[in-house]
Amino acid sequence: SVLYIEDEAERSLHAALCVLTQTVKETRTVYGGGCSEMLMSNAVQELALKTPGKEAEAIEMYAYALRQLPTIIADNAGFDSSDLVAKLRATHSEGNADMGLDMVKGE
């Protein structure tokens, strides 16, 4: 009905204004495209290398799970996740820690 459409339009406009207000108040951003997950994975992997015993294997599996998130992002976008994530890992290991996957260009 018309009332339902008006209510939905009002809620959508309100949500958009809230996002805009929050963006103006808080200008910091989080890198996307699996960047944060790759950074966390690398840090967790380093911890695993320093940890003795069976705990190291559990920590390594957690690092592996974090690396799966960029893979899922690439797969869902319809790109070759193996190639993209390998390039992303190499980029991060070269010190470019602010790089993520670009799902518009497939890079």
Side-chain angles (χ1 to χ4, degrees), residues 69-106:
L69 292 165
T71 302
I72 292 166
I73 291 169
D75 283 341
N76 286 344
F79 294 108
D80 180 6
S81 61
S82 299
D83 183 49
L84 290 177
V85 173
K87 288 177 183 175
L88 181 61
R89 288 184 74 185
T91 301
H92 274 251
S93 69
E94 293 168 355
N96 298 320
D98 60 349
M99 298 299 292
L101 299 174
D102 181 344
M103 294 295 89
V104 174
K105 297 178 183 175

Side-chain angles (χ1 to χ4, degrees), residues 16-63:
L17 290 173
C18 287
V19 169
L20 181 62
T21 302
Q22 208 46 41
T23 303
V24 170
K25 286 181 183 177
E26 182 57 68
T27 58
R28 295 179 295 172
T29 59
V30 175
Y31 294 120
C35 178
S36 300
E37 292 81 5
M38 194 61 71
L39 283 169
M40 290 185 289
S41 173
N42 291 339
V44 171
Q45 184 67 39
E46 286 180 29
L47 176 64
L49 294 173
K50 297 174 186 174
T51 305
K54 290 182 180 181
E55 286 182 3
E57 190 171 340
I59 295 170
E60 262 186 77
M61 289 295 103
Y62 189 70

